Amino acid sequence: MPEARSQVFALADRYVEAWAALDPLAATARGVAGHDTEVTDLSPRGIEAREELTRQTLHQLRRLPIESDADRLAAGVLAERLDAQLALDDAGEPYRPLRVIGSPLQSVRQAFDLMARSSADDWVAIADRMERVPHALTGFRHTLDEALRRGLHAARRQATACAEQAATWAGLRGAPAYFVALADTFAGTGIDDPALGPRLAEAAAAATEAVEVTARFLFDDYAPRAPDDDAVGPERYDRFARFSLGASPDLQETYEWGWAELARIEAELADLADRIVPGGSTAEARAHLDTDPAQAVEGVDAFRRWLQDLMDRTVDELDGTHFDIPGPIRRVEAMIAPPGGAAAMYYTPPSEDLTRPGRTWYPTLGKTRFPLWPEVTTAFHEGVPGHHLQIGQVRVLGDRLSRFQRLTFVSGHGEGWALYAERLMDELGFLADPGTRFGFLTSQQFRAARVVIDIGVHLGMRLPAGQPFHPGERWTPALALAFLRPRSPFGDAFAASEIDRYLGWPAQAISYKVGERAWLECRHDVAARLGPAFDLRAFHAGALGLGNLGLDLLRAELGRLGAVPPEPAP
């Protein structure tokens, strides 16, 4: 008979099951099976049920014995994540759910992107879930009405941006209606079920109407009553920072460090620009790389194939040399994101059973020509050795980690690793070409700019007097966009979408550079402690083997364990 689970691991398993039942859209996103026909209750009642699960689980966790190092780590991760979530819940943040990325509105659509479409049963599940979309969006509007009644407003910018997204998915902005287009693809599957096609069409029409009603509600009812001020202030920002980072940084020190890091990177960029265009500026080097016909791909399909080939080659080159990549996660799929979402590239993890692969998603923003200089480092970030290696590797660790540890994601740890992965590929020589290294440094520049913009705007800080851009003035969204545009690797439309993202999702934008900083500091500390015995490959394996956890816990565990993973779970 299998060995009994510890009480901590058993509680973590029960929490995941209950969480997935209460938030099936998030369950699909994380790869938890069994809920693909369901849609999350986005009404106030659903919010209350999820909050109650958090409270009950924390109460139970604090009464359990810690029987091993594995228990200690599993309990620490679960407690830290639920405490951080509860702080947001107690402040009413679930009632301010509007933002251009990572909110319930986007999850309603994105869940369908991740659903299987190969069998009749798959399409029945899609129809089941699609039929539930109108009820879910009605609940979502009830939550927004209740938020207005309580004075828990999201900013007008987020309301109008989300309204535009919903209008796009409803087919009102030139692109095909999302659910209708999805239902239409059934005809090309060859599946012989004469009743299923009409059912899908009817469900798609109802879901599209619900999305359009939501767009009108946001435009006509919510946005006019929402405040213009985008800044959340220090108290709300601290809570968001704790949730995004698993740590509570000194924000003044982080702001000043962000400026220093930006200056360092931009000096390095200027030197490299002179190599690309002798005597030229950074802007001239970018223009040269953007217009070089030998360094671009024409056509969306050709670009997706180029990304896929790059990621396949990278897995082959890294496996067995710098990492040991388990066979079940060697495949990562390059995808083109449907229109209407935010402009940023993103990654979706494999399912728990690994039947659904990890995928990188690229929003084209209407482009058909793709300069390649910024894309190589982005592929490393989203794929291997970035998100896909980090998250996929944890999926195959089995009972050494709790189920919650295998499924959770802390942005500071995860995005920090992915940015560290870009730097690592530079250190390993994979970005030696001047153009692709220019892309890496521009990515670093962009993430450093995020730090000063995000903290600066939300906390109403002043720009430093010693730099040339509006010295001494207080940050505003307009200044943030003007500052970010020349530092955006993907153009002005991307920069504008990013500013909306930062303003609606406080402290997430800083998690990349702050997380990378933590990873670099941990590597330095472990190397100093182990001396000649330090092995980079072993460090990566041991550190990633801890699972995804907050930055404070990462530092503590690596301080305790060096590069040695925790003992097997009971």
Side-chain angles (χ1 to χ4, degrees), residues 455-467:
I455 296 175
V457 173
H458 282 297
L459 272 61
M461 302 183 81
R462 294 187 183 278
L463 288 97
Q467 55 79 45

Side-chain angles (χ1 to χ4, degrees), residues 179-505:
F179 291 106
V180 173
L182 172 58
D184 285 347
T185 63
F186 174 74
T189 63
I191 294 172
D192 184 16
D193 187 335
L196 188 51
R199 182 186 172 195
L200 282 161
E202 184 177 352
T208 299
E209 181 181 4
V211 172
E212 183 176 347
V213 169
T214 301
R216 289 201 306 268
F217 169 81
L218 292 171
F219 277 128
D220 299 339
D221 297 328
Y222 192 97
R225 300 161 66 186
D228 285 324
D229 190 8
D230 296 289
V232 300
E235 290 187 11
R236 288 183 67 197
Y237 195 91
D238 281 343
R239 286 190 289 268
F240 279 111
R242 180 184 167 199
F243 186 81
S244 286
L245 301 174
S248 298
D250 180 331
L251 295 176
Q252 180 65 44
E253 187 276 336
T254 304
Y255 182 68
E256 294 170 359
W257 168 79
W259 278 107
E261 185 72 353
L262 184 60
R264 179 191 66 79
I265 295 164
E266 291 188 340
E268 194 169 352
L269 260 175
D271 288 342
L272 183 56
D274 183 57
R275 290 177 53 201
I276 295 170
V277 179
S281 65
T282 300
E284 289 168 330
R286 289 181 58 148
H288 171 79
L289 293 169
D290 276 338
T291 56
D292 183 354
Q295 299 296 321
V297 168
E298 298 284 350
V300 173
D301 289 342
F303 178 61
R304 190 203 63 77
R305 291 193 299 271
W306 178 86
L307 284 171
Q308 187 67 64
D309 179 67
L310 172 61
M311 291 192 294
D312 291 345
R313 284 188 286 109
T314 302
V315 169
D316 289 341
E317 291 174 13
L318 291 181
D319 188 21
T321 55
H322 303 291
F323 294 93
D324 294 312
I325 303 176
I329 64 165
R330 283 180 56 87
R331 176 69 173 173
V332 54
E333 292 185 350
M335 306 290 288
I336 300 299
M345 290 65 71
Y346 59 96
Y347 170 79
T348 55
S351 56
E352 281 190 292
D353 62 6
L354 301 175
T355 57
R356 184 185 83 198
R359 293 171 176 144
T360 63
W361 297 81
Y362 193 101
T364 65
L365 304 181
K367 295 184 298 183
T368 58
R369 181 182 184 276
F370 302 89
L372 299 181
W373 64 270
E375 304 297 352
V376 175
T377 195
T378 301
F380 295 155
H381 181 109
E382 302 294 345
V384 172
H387 287 316
H388 181 66
L389 176 64
Q390 174 197 36
I391 295 172
Q393 182 166 301
V394 170
R395 287 286 196 269
V396 301
L397 286 177
D399 287 348
R400 206 179 80 189
L401 300 177
S402 74
R403 193 178 181 194
F404 179 82
Q405 288 171 278
R406 297 196 302 271
L407 290 170
T408 197
F409 184 82
V410 186
S411 188
H413 181 279
E415 299 296 354
W417 167 265
L419 196 59
Y420 167 83
E422 293 185 52
R423 182 187 293 264
L424 177 67
M425 293 299 274
D426 182 50
E427 293 173 349
L428 296 176
F430 284 82
L431 294 165
D433 175 78
T436 56
R437 189 159 198 278
F438 192 88
F440 158 68
L441 288 173
T442 302
S443 170
Q444 288 278 324
Q445 175 195 35
F446 184 62
R447 271 50 178 264
R450 280 178 170 177
V451 174
V452 299
I453 288 172
D454 199 65
I455 296 175
V457 173
H458 282 297
L459 272 61
M461 302 183 81
R462 294 187 183 278
L463 288 97
Q467 55 79 45
F469 183 83
H470 294 263
E473 294 186 30
R474 290 197 185 277
W475 280 103
T476 65
L479 284 179
L481 180 56
F483 187 78
L484 191 63
R485 272 178 175 156
R487 295 170 173 84
S488 167
F490 302 108
D492 288 354
F494 181 82
S497 177
E498 285 288 287
I499 293 299
D500 286 348
R501 170 186 173 181
Y502 310 158
L503 294 172
W505 200 355

